[in-house]
Amino acid sequence: MTEAEQQQYHQRFSHIQPRVVVEITEAEHLDMEMIQKKSETEGFSGMFALDDYGSGYNSEINLLELNPAFVKVDITIVRDIDKDANKQQIVANIVEYAHKRDMMVIAEGLETPEEVLMSLKLGVDLLQGYFLARPGEIPPEISVEAYRLIQELGKK
């Protein structure tokens, strides 16, 4: 990005820049030079999310090199986590590592109340998936079922 493009970007998006999180996806190559340039963009908060963590590409090396603010656990690990002790241990390990480094863990792809409950039991910070709400240009309200489930957990 040229300096002129950076200035234009800052002028256009300065009101939201402190809340912007750049998501590094599995399809991208971890180009530390490009990430450094992005993080030096005027007004950028510097927050990164490592997407699809636990899948083939986004591994421990990328976690170490990027040091993201958010770690999004891959859907293949989250799917049926309530029924699989191995997946539970993997997520528990991720949560322990991330929390010691002030990172937040996101469970993505949650589709059942049981997956939500297990993810929360394991210490996941944020939840994402169809059970909660369908994706949209303007985020929809959380589903009534998910709201009730989370509300009940708060009472315990």
Side-chain angles (χ1 to χ4, degrees):
M1 190 182 297
T2 67
E3 190 173 321
E5 289 172 326
Q6 284 185 358
Q7 288 176 351
Q8 182 182 14
Y9 176 85
H10 179 66
Q11 288 172 349
R12 185 169 178 199
F13 298 109
S14 63
H15 64 291
I16 62 168
Q17 278 180 292
R19 298 183 315 214
V20 171
V21 176
V22 175
E23 191 169 283
I24 306 300
T25 66
E26 181 180 10
E28 296 174 306
H29 295 288
L30 193 59
D31 180 343
M32 293 310 291
E33 184 178 333
M34 182 56 69
I35 290 171
Q36 185 67 29
K37 286 181 182 179
K38 288 178 181 180
S39 69
E40 291 172 353
T41 300
E42 184 181 348
F44 174 63
S45 67
M47 290 191 297
F48 290 98
L50 187 59
D51 191 31
D52 300 327
Y53 185 76
S55 66
Y57 167 73
N58 280 333
S59 65
E60 287 83 5
I61 295 299
N62 297 335
L63 187 62
L64 290 171
E65 296 225 353
L66 184 60
N67 194 32
F70 302 92
V71 179
K72 294 179 72 176
V73 179
D74 189 69
I75 190 172
T76 58
I77 296 172
V78 173
R79 180 69 61 244
D80 295 322
I81 193 168
D82 54 298
K83 301 171 189 151
D84 189 326
N86 291 321
K87 291 180 178 186
Q88 293 167 21
Q89 186 61 58
I90 289 169
V91 170
N93 293 346
I94 294 167
V95 167
E96 180 182 8
Y97 176 87
H99 286 176
K100 286 181 180 177
R101 286 148 188 85
D102 296 322
M103 299 173 187
M104 296 185 81
V105 178
I106 303 169
E108 63 180 3
L110 296 165
E111 292 188 357
T112 68
E114 293 80 15
E115 291 171 349
V116 169
L117 290 171
M118 181 55 67
S119 296
L120 291 172
K121 179 180 176 183
L122 294 169
V124 168
D125 302 293
L126 300 168
L127 309 170
Q128 179 182 355
Y130 285 170
F131 178 73
L132 300 157
R134 298 285 181 173
E137 188 174 315
I138 297 173
E141 294 290 321
I142 188 171
S143 76
V144 172
E145 184 181 6
Y147 180 79
R148 286 185 184 140
L149 176 70
I150 293 168
Q151 191 175 36
E152 285 300 314
L153 284 174
K155 292 178 183 177
K156 293 181 180 181

